[in-house]
């Protein structure tokens, strides 16, 4: 299996952010509704086997000037290299996780994203 297939399998049973099985707080529901509008980011994540709505953690850390600022984490992902890309209102970073156990995926993926309220 390639890394895309491994990620798809690893995250296949994860609940969607903004649903009762994950979290239905206002910040998660808002994120889930807005994130799919950044098509280049979504396409990139799908190419890696990741769905931005299946993140492990979604955190809205600031609301200012009509915008909400989020950090979104996938704690364990399969990847071949570290990389960072910017897509419209978001930056995605895949990096080696020094805390990963030998039998788990050894990278993390973080998305920093800003949405207009």
């Amino acid at each position: 299996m390639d890394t895309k297939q491994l990620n798809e399998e690893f995250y296949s049973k994860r609940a969607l952010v903004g649903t009762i099985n994950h979290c239905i707080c206002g910040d998660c529901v808002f994120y889930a509704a807005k994130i799919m509008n950044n098509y280049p980011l979504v396409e990139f994540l799908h190419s890696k086997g990741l769905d931005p709505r299946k993140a492990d953690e979604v955190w809205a850390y600031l609301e200012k000037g009509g915008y909400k600022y989020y950090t979104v984490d996938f704690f364990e992902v399969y990847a071949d290299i570290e990389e960072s890309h910017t897509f419209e209102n978001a930056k995605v970073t895949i990096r080696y996780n020094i805390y990963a156990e030998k039998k788990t995926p050894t990278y993390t993926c973080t998305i920093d994203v800003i949405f207009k309220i």
Side-chain angles (χ1 to χ4, degrees), residues 7 11 31 41 44-46 48-52 54-57 71-79 81 83-85 87 91-97 105-112:
N7 284 323
Y11 281 93
Y31 165 82
L41 170 66
F44 172 78
L45 291 172
H46 284 170
K48 301 296 183 183
L50 300 171
D51 183 329
K54 290 190 173 185
D56 291 304
E57 187 170 307
T71 294
V72 179
D73 288 309
F74 291 84
F75 297 135
E76 300 170 306
V77 297
Y78 292 93
I81 59 170
E83 54 188 303
S84 182
H85 304 278
F87 301 97
K91 179 178 180 183
V92 60
T93 305
I94 297 174
R95 65 180 147 252
Y96 182 75
N97 180 1
T106 56
Y107 287 79
T108 63
C109 178
T110 300
I111 304 166
D112 294 303

Side-chain angles (χ1 to χ4, degrees), residues 19-65:
T19 65
I20 193 74
N21 292 325
H22 187 275
C23 178
I24 56 170
C25 76
D27 288 336
C28 284
V29 170
F30 184 83
Y31 165 82
K34 294 287 191 172
I35 194 63
M36 298 308 286
N37 294 328
N38 187 329
Y39 303 113
L41 170 66
V42 171
E43 187 176 307
F44 172 78
L45 291 172
H46 284 170
S47 77
K48 301 296 183 183
L50 300 171
D51 183 329
R53 299 165 303 164
K54 290 190 173 185
D56 291 304
E57 187 170 307
V58 173
W59 178 46
Y61 63 90
L62 179 65
E63 188 172 317
K64 183 178 179 181

